[in-house]
Amino acid sequence: MNDIEPNPVVIIPGVLFWDGLYDGMKQELSRSIPSERIAVVPVSLLDWVGFPPRPELSTNRVMAALDRTIAGMQQRFPDKPVTIVAHSGGGTVALVYLLEKEFQGDVYHRRKSVSTLLTLGTPFVTKEYYAKMKTDFIMKHLSDDFFHDCRVVSVVSDAYQGALDKGLIEKVCYHFYMNVVGEGNLAGDGIVPVTSCFLEGAENVTISGIEHLPTPHAKWYGTKEGVEQWVDML
């Protein structure tokens, strides 16, 4: 990160998370990138759920917010491509957005404005219903040519091993991993297993000691301990 004028960064929250939870991530990133070049997509819990509830349209609502945020960055820094940092299910939203294919009636065309997509604990393999809507779409439309236009880095932590014959944490992780891929005896970040985050064509990177959820006092992807392990990949 020695570039005196680094690319602007747009952070996408994970599913059911809101923008305020990422203030700490922005602050940690500002140690390497000027804070005015970092924006968090303004997403609320309502964007993910809908009112009345329409979670199947969450991707469309968040893509619209992402598009407005990227447009704002392009206006402020017209000579710099944007780097997207996406947490959890926000990563699949970002990839659907960047594919430039119609998804439930919406399509965007800003891929040339984005140089890198870095995902954090994003499952590209999942059996969860609403997440699978996105991953099925991605697998249908993703081609080798995409990676010539946009670099993709998939980062995931192997902090927790799932197991039924060990302690409470291992048992809980086992069930979370089962819900994602149908297998629990795997390593992961406590919510998603490492293997679910591997995407063919991307740079798949495994880090250590980091948790998935942005909870108080946790060492997650957005804390100092997490950011230090992936900031040099931007």
Side-chain angles (χ1 to χ4, degrees), residues 114-171:
V114 177
S115 61
T116 298
L117 167 63
L118 186 144
T119 62
L120 302 166
T122 295
F124 295 103
V125 178
T126 179
K127 63 176 190 170
E128 193 277 323
Y129 179 76
Y130 294 114
K132 197 170 185 297
M133 290 173 61
K134 295 178 291 180
T135 56
D136 284 352
F137 182 87
I138 289 168
M139 292 307 114
K140 179 180 178 181
H141 295 290
L142 188 63
S143 67
D144 292 340
D145 291 341
F146 176 88
F147 298 100
H148 298 154
D149 297 332
C150 182
R151 172 175 169 254
V152 179
V153 183
S154 177
V155 177
V156 62
S157 170
D158 63 358
Y160 295 103
Q161 177 71 37
L164 286 178
D165 58 351
K166 294 187 179 180
L168 178 60
I169 291 177
E170 289 82 2
K171 288 184 174 70

Side-chain angles (χ1 to χ4, degrees), residues 1-23:
M1 302 295 299
N2 295 321
D3 189 351
I4 59 172
E5 292 187 342
N7 293 340
V9 172
V10 170
I11 299 170
I12 307 179
V15 173
L16 299 180
F17 301 140
W18 52 95
D19 49 3
L21 294 174
Y22 295 78
D23 290 343

Side-chain angles (χ1 to χ4, degrees), residues 167-200:
L168 178 60
I169 291 177
E170 289 82 2
K171 288 184 174 70
V172 171
C173 292
Y174 178 96
H175 290 293
F176 274 124
Y177 302 161
M178 278 288 294
N179 289 336
V180 177
V181 296
E183 184 177 354
N185 289 307
L186 300 169
D189 62 12
I191 300 295
V192 298
V194 169
T195 54
S196 71
C197 298
F198 288 167
L199 179 66
E200 186 176 354

Side-chain angles (χ1 to χ4, degrees), residues 4-137:
I4 59 172
E5 292 187 342
N7 293 340
V9 172
V10 170
I11 299 170
I12 307 179
V15 173
L16 299 180
F17 301 140
W18 52 95
D19 49 3
L21 294 174
Y22 295 78
D23 290 343
M25 178 187 287
K26 180 177 179 179
Q27 182 177 348
E28 289 302 327
L29 270 180
S30 68
R31 298 174 184 270
S32 303
I33 301 168
S35 60
E36 63 269 18
R37 290 176 176 261
I38 308 170
V40 182
V41 178
V43 172
S44 68
L45 182 60
L46 188 61
D47 290 311
W48 292 114
V49 177
F51 183 79
R54 294 289 303 277
E56 70 277 10
L57 296 179
S58 62
T59 296
N60 300 72
R61 291 187 290 263
V62 176
M63 285 197 301
L66 170 61
D67 189 65
R68 290 191 295 269
T69 306
I70 291 178
M73 282 299 198
Q74 284 183 303
Q75 190 172 27
R76 293 170 61 194
F77 309 102
D79 299 325
K80 285 287 187 178
V82 171
T83 294
I84 296 176
V85 174
H87 176 226
S88 192
T92 44
V93 172
L95 196 43
V96 169
Y97 172 88
L98 291 170
L99 284 173
E100 299 186 332
K101 302 291 184 180
E102 185 175 314
F103 182 82
Q104 300 185 141
D106 293 334
V107 60
Y108 298 89
H109 298 282
R110 292 194 193 273
R111 189 159 80 205
K112 291 183 179 179
S113 303
V114 177
S115 61
T116 298
L117 167 63
L118 186 144
T119 62
L120 302 166
T122 295
F124 295 103
V125 178
T126 179
K127 63 176 190 170
E128 193 277 323
Y129 179 76
Y130 294 114
K132 197 170 185 297
M133 290 173 61
K134 295 178 291 180
T135 56
D136 284 352
F137 182 87

